[in-house]
Amino acid sequence: MKRQLEHACVFGLGWGDEGKGKVVDLLCPGFDVVVRYNGGANAGHTVCAGGETFKLHLLPTGVLHENAVGVIGPGVVVDPLALIAEIDQLAARGIDVVPRLRVSDRAHVVLAYHKIEDQLSEKAAGEAGKIGTTSRGIGPCYADKMRRTPAVRMADLMDERDLAPRIRALVEAKQAAFRAVYGTDGGLAFDAVMSDVQTARSRISGVVCDTTAYLHEAMDSGRSLLFEGANGLLLDVDHGTYPFVTSSSTGPNGIGPGAGVPPTVVRRLIGVCKAYSTRVGSGPFVTELKDAVGDRIRERGKEYGTTTGRPRRCGWFDAVACRYSARIGGATDIALLHLDTLSEFEEIGVCVAYRCEGITLRTLPASLSQLEACQPVIEFLPGWSGDLSGVRHFAELPTNAREYIERIEALVGVPVSIAGVGPDRSQTLVRGELQRIVTPPEPVGSRE
Ligand code: GDP
Ligand code: IMO
Ligand code: MG
């Protein structure tokens, strides 16, 4: 029997890869439906349990739980080929997600030309100017959506009338635009796009539906929803370190537009962060450690991108940025992961303010050049030693680790309800009300 909780959201407080997949997986037993509302296959959410590791990009993490329905909402940009590949990979491991999957007919479709444009525009921007995107066509697809034409939604793919001429006109317009801007069409070909469209139609038509109506009916019948944010609030298109951001609303503020559910129904907002900071791709990073300490965090934390394999930039915990994100996202709880990674450091830095042109700042400036000029004001706390991977309760943590958590709570202004001491589902400490919904560990995807 499910322990019903208010509808909840798990979202990233940093620049992504905070461990959202792990937290969603942990909380899943308390929810009926897990909903992606933003981003696309740029996400890479890792779940480690029962000796197995899963990396999900488009599918909501909840589909690994046999009783959960996974919904991909209207705000997600869906690459049908990436989705099919993920469905097939899980099927090969004995998990059939199709009967429990719903994809919004309002969701925009990522096609080959979006991925080509992503690569062409990054190349044209050069090393200094590029965003360092995941090359998944995310920005170009959201740009087409906002321009309104020429955009393709799932509902359009499902409507066969004039489909081929519509796609042909679209491809020809993109080829001309690419040639004009980049001097090449990047190898874009109508036949290849049309073949992808037909594959999508034949493989995923059955899961495309009105997910907005589905979610409202689910709520009316007392079922609980868990919203799975992708990316992180510092990558949010409005609130992040623009222009080094992704193209969607990554925090709970994205739930309204991205799922068609009023944000007021979501009361529990769990912001996920690591006990230090990481960033993959370009852009300002005030607490970055470009030295042996940063390298040590990267090696201990295995900080390499889940989607692209790129080494992640590492630095001390940034309480200024975390408080900024937690306030925008309305975090009621913090999940603070990777405490184990910080073991054996003699002292641990926490950024409590920024210094910029002689001024002390306690929030993020909008100006990119100002943010890039900021120096961190670092407070050092004593570190702790020992292997934390077997710790299961907050009270068992070394005193200095508990004091580190208390300092973060005070600086950010939100309680730490979940802490991570290793990648596995079982290596998670939970306290307070959230404990009610965390069931004893069971193997991922355990099926009859
Ligand atoms: P997401 O995108 O927010 O879901 O995060 P990712 O899955 O991209 O990256 C988080 C990484 O940290 C994954 O490799 C997780 O397995 C790992 N991880 C999560 N929590 C912990 C933790 O508490 N300790 C350690 N050592 N690894 C963790
Ligand atoms: P999850 O959900 C880490 C970053 C990219 C790049 C910028 C724009 O796994 O936390 P995009 O391809 O979205 O146009 O890239 O955003 N980025 C992420 N970094 N984790 C993610 O997702 C990310 N999604 C986008 O590296 O800097
Ligand atoms: Mg990730």
Side-chain angles (χ1 to χ4, degrees):
M1 156 135 174
K2 300 246 174 199
R3 292 139 311 284
Q4 293 295 343
L5 197 83
E6 294 151 319
H7 308 301
C9 176
V10 171
F11 66 103
L13 292 167
W15 287 288
D17 300 333
E18 301 89 349
K20 299 173 293 292
K22 181 186 182 187
V23 176
V24 169
D25 170 68
L26 182 80
L27 299 178
C28 255
F31 296 87
D32 301 295
V33 186
V34 182
V35 189
R36 278 280 307 267
Y37 58 87
N38 79 294
N42 53 353
H45 295 179
T46 313
V47 173
C48 305
E52 292 199 77
T53 298
F54 294 87
K55 293 175 191 286
L56 299 186
H57 300 285
L58 258 171
L59 289 169
T61 303
V63 296
L64 297 175
H65 291 255
E66 60 174 352
N67 294 323
V69 171
V71 167
I72 296 179
V76 178
V77 287
V78 181
D79 177 346
L81 295 194
L83 182 63
I84 293 165
E86 223 168 308
I87 290 170
D88 289 348
Q89 279 157 19
L90 288 186
R93 297 173 74 172
I95 303 173
D96 180 14
V97 299
V98 172
R100 296 180 285 111
L101 182 64
R102 313 268 186 282
V103 178
S104 171
D105 49 9
R106 291 181 170 86
H108 280 250
V109 183
V110 176
L111 290 167
Y113 50 78
H114 294 123
K115 288 177 272 191
I116 292 171
E117 187 177 352
D118 205 346
Q119 283 159 18
L120 290 174
S121 72
E122 285 280 271
K123 197 167 166 214
E127 268 312 304
K130 71 176 187 182
I131 293 170
T133 71
T134 58
S135 309
R136 298 297 187 269
I138 305 297
C141 185
Y142 277 118
D144 277 358
K145 169 179 172 170
M146 290 306 175
R147 267 197 294 262
R148 289 156 293 167
T149 178
V152 178
R153 297 189 302 164
M154 276 295 168
D156 303 320
L157 275 199
M158 298 306 131
D159 181 359
E160 201 169 15
R161 284 167 299 173
D162 300 331
L163 184 61
R166 273 189 287 139
I167 297 291
R168 184 182 290 280
L170 258 168
V171 169
E172 285 172 359
K174 289 288 180 188
Q175 284 168 326
F178 293 172
R179 279 191 213 109
V181 178
Y182 304 110
T184 170
D185 64 14
L188 175 62
F190 165 71
D191 289 347
V193 176
M194 204 53 215
S195 154
D196 292 348
V197 164
Q198 294 301 7
T199 304
R201 283 176 52 80
S202 67
R203 289 289 313 276
I204 58 172
S205 298
V207 299
V208 176
C209 66
D210 182 348
T211 57
T212 307
Y214 175 82
L215 292 180
H216 283 272
E217 280 157 23
M219 287 191 292
D220 289 348
S221 61
R223 299 207 287 157
S224 54
L225 314 183
L226 179 59
F227 294 90
E228 177 175 345
N231 328 130
L233 241 159
L234 298 178
L235 290 170
D236 184 278
V237 69
D238 291 297
H239 306 289
T241 51
Y242 193 90
F244 296 100
V245 294
T246 189
S247 305
S248 68
S249 296
T250 57
N253 48 339
I255 292 174
V261 166
T264 45
V265 304
V266 187
R267 297 285 174 78
R268 204 80 198 217
L269 301 158
I270 301 144
V272 187
C273 58
K274 289 173 184 157
Y276 49 90
S277 309
T278 61
R279 173 164 206 165
V280 59
S282 319
F285 183 175
V286 177
T287 64
E288 182 170 12
L289 293 163
K290 294 181 183 169
D291 58 11
V293 180
D295 293 344
R296 194 170 163 208
I297 295 176
R298 182 178 310 107
E299 294 316 312
R300 281 187 62 86
K302 301 192 173 59
E303 293 295 354
Y304 295 88
T306 308
T307 298
T308 58
R310 292 178 288 179
R312 294 178 185 141
R313 300 155 66 193
C314 298
W316 293 130
F317 185 87
D318 185 342
V320 177
C322 190
R323 180 166 170 266
Y324 172 84
S325 304
R327 290 172 104 183
I328 292 167
T332 56
D333 302 82
I334 287 179
L336 185 70
L337 304 183
H338 278 268
L339 277 176
D340 54 306
T341 300
L342 288 189
S343 277
E344 313 302 342
F345 281 77
E346 202 164 300
E347 51 180 15
I348 298 171
V350 174
C351 173
V352 294
Y354 296 166
R355 287 289 294 168
C356 181
E357 294 155 3
I359 299 166
T360 300
L361 297 177
R362 298 202 185 271
T363 190
L364 258 66
S367 152
L368 187 63
S369 57
Q370 217 185 351
L371 188 56
E372 277 168 343
C374 283
Q375 292 299 317
V377 178
I378 301 285
E379 176 182 303
F380 281 97
L381 284 85
W384 57 85
S385 56
D387 178 6
L388 302 192
S389 62
V391 171
R392 292 294 174 271
H393 302 283
F394 278 83
E396 293 167 8
L397 287 168
T399 308
N400 287 351
R402 275 187 279 136
E403 286 178 4
Y404 184 69
I405 293 174
E406 279 166 25
R407 187 69 186 124
I408 285 176
E409 288 179 317
L411 288 166
V412 179
V414 180
V416 171
S417 304
I418 296 175
V421 292
D424 195 78
R425 182 196 287 162
S426 62
Q427 293 172 313
T428 324
L429 326 180
V430 186
R431 64 183 171 190
E433 214 198 333
L434 291 178
Q435 259 179 317
R436 280 199 297 127
I437 54 166
V438 181
T439 48
E442 56 178 335
V444 161
S446 55
R447 296 162 299 280
E448 285 161 60

